[in-house]
Amino acid sequence: MDNSPTSLFDSYENEFTQFIDTINDKLEEASKDGDAEARLSTLRRTAMDLDEADEMLSQMQIELPSIPQSLRAPYQQRLGAAKSTLAGAKRRYKETEARVSLLGSRSRSGGGFARTSTSDDPYGDVSSDRARLLAGTAKLDEGTRRLEESQRIAMETEQTGADILLSLRGQREQIEHARDTLGTAERHIDRASGTLKGMIRRMYQQRFITAGIIGVLLLLIALILYSKLS
């Protein structure tokens, strides 16, 4: 499993590219001469693919802020190129829609086709209940896949957070241990410093006593010599 910070963006971009290729193929098919109703049906399916491509583009835009700043610039350019590609596909769709509608002698109403059916069914007369069920199932499968992907990301994020907390706890224990060791060393240094000061003090006392003894001996020698010479 690719856990790189750009994996989801790349996945959505691949799906977006597939939808764009499919859209271009369907627009090419709708532009050819043939049965008007079949061309209208192709355009309706193309509109659904445009919605899916728009959704993939939205997902790419959502994933962009999660990419590290050092890697983000080229992905911003790719997102801009994808937006331009989708805008071009939408313009081509509208042009094809207008041309097919005109050739089929169908007036436009409410930004779409005046369908031969009075039903509100977005698939028109050419789609059966089975086709609608399959399309709904595909939508449900896609939603389930995205939900599972979101759950996977949430679990990975939770696990990463738990690992970070565990690492921080270990580091805190190491810092506390180092602080205790430093306190113990400081106490030993203070004790050693006190001992050293006491030794220096006793050394000066011994020197003073030694000097006093030498002075007394010298005085005694001088008195003895004086008494002898007298």
Side-chain angles (χ1 to χ4, degrees), residues 8-219:
L8 281 178
F9 185 98
D10 293 335
S11 175
Y12 290 130
E13 187 180 32
N14 288 335
E15 292 188 40
F16 172 83
T17 302
Q18 292 174 6
F19 277 116
I20 290 297
D21 292 340
T22 302
I23 289 167
N24 289 332
D25 292 341
K26 289 180 179 177
L27 289 176
E28 187 69 26
E29 179 182 348
S31 299
K32 296 177 181 179
D33 294 335
D35 180 68
E37 190 61 33
R39 296 164 72 183
L40 290 175
S41 177
T42 300
L43 285 176
R44 293 186 190 106
R45 293 195 301 272
T46 304
M48 295 174 59
D49 289 336
L50 282 171
D51 290 339
E52 292 293 339
D54 206 356
E55 176 66 20
M56 293 299 102
L57 190 64
S58 298
Q59 293 296 333
M60 291 164 62
Q61 194 156 3
I62 291 173
E63 290 299 323
L64 184 63
S66 64
I67 298 176
Q69 189 69 35
S70 58
L71 304 175
R72 194 176 299 171
Y75 286 89
Q76 287 177 330
Q77 296 176 359
R78 288 160 64 175
L79 179 61
K83 289 181 178 180
S84 299
T85 300
L86 182 59
K90 287 182 178 180
R91 285 195 301 271
R92 187 181 175 193
Y93 168 79
K94 290 180 179 179
E95 293 171 357
T96 306
E97 179 187 38
R99 185 165 58 253
V100 172
S101 179
L102 179 62
L103 293 176
S105 299
R106 291 179 171 83
S107 62
R108 298 173 60 86
S109 62
F113 295 107
R115 300 190 178 110
T116 58
S117 173
T118 58
S119 172
D120 291 332
D121 180 9
Y123 297 92
D125 293 334
V126 297
S127 299
S128 64
D129 291 340
R130 183 174 180 275
R132 291 195 299 273
L133 179 60
L134 290 175
T137 303
K139 287 275 189 179
L140 181 61
D141 290 342
E142 179 66 16
T144 302
R145 186 188 66 79
R146 292 178 184 172
L147 179 60
E148 291 175 348
E149 185 70 12
S150 300
Q151 290 177 340
R152 182 186 65 80
I153 295 173
M155 293 179 62
E156 290 178 355
T157 303
E158 183 179 359
Q159 182 61 39
T160 301
D163 293 341
I164 292 174
L165 288 176
L166 184 61
S167 176
L168 290 175
R169 183 179 300 173
Q171 292 177 7
R172 185 183 65 181
E173 292 176 354
Q174 291 177 357
I175 291 173
E176 290 178 349
H177 179 70
R179 184 180 61 187
D180 294 340
T181 303
L182 182 61
T184 303
E186 186 176 0
R187 288 194 296 272
H188 289 165
I189 291 173
D190 290 340
R191 188 179 298 113
S193 178
T195 303
L196 184 60
K197 288 179 180 179
M199 292 174 63
I200 293 174
R201 198 164 45 245
R202 286 194 296 272
M203 181 186 68
Y204 282 121
Q205 290 175 352
Q206 290 174 358
R207 285 184 179 181
F208 180 77
I209 293 171
T210 302
I213 293 173
I214 292 173
V216 171
L217 290 176
L218 290 175
L219 180 60

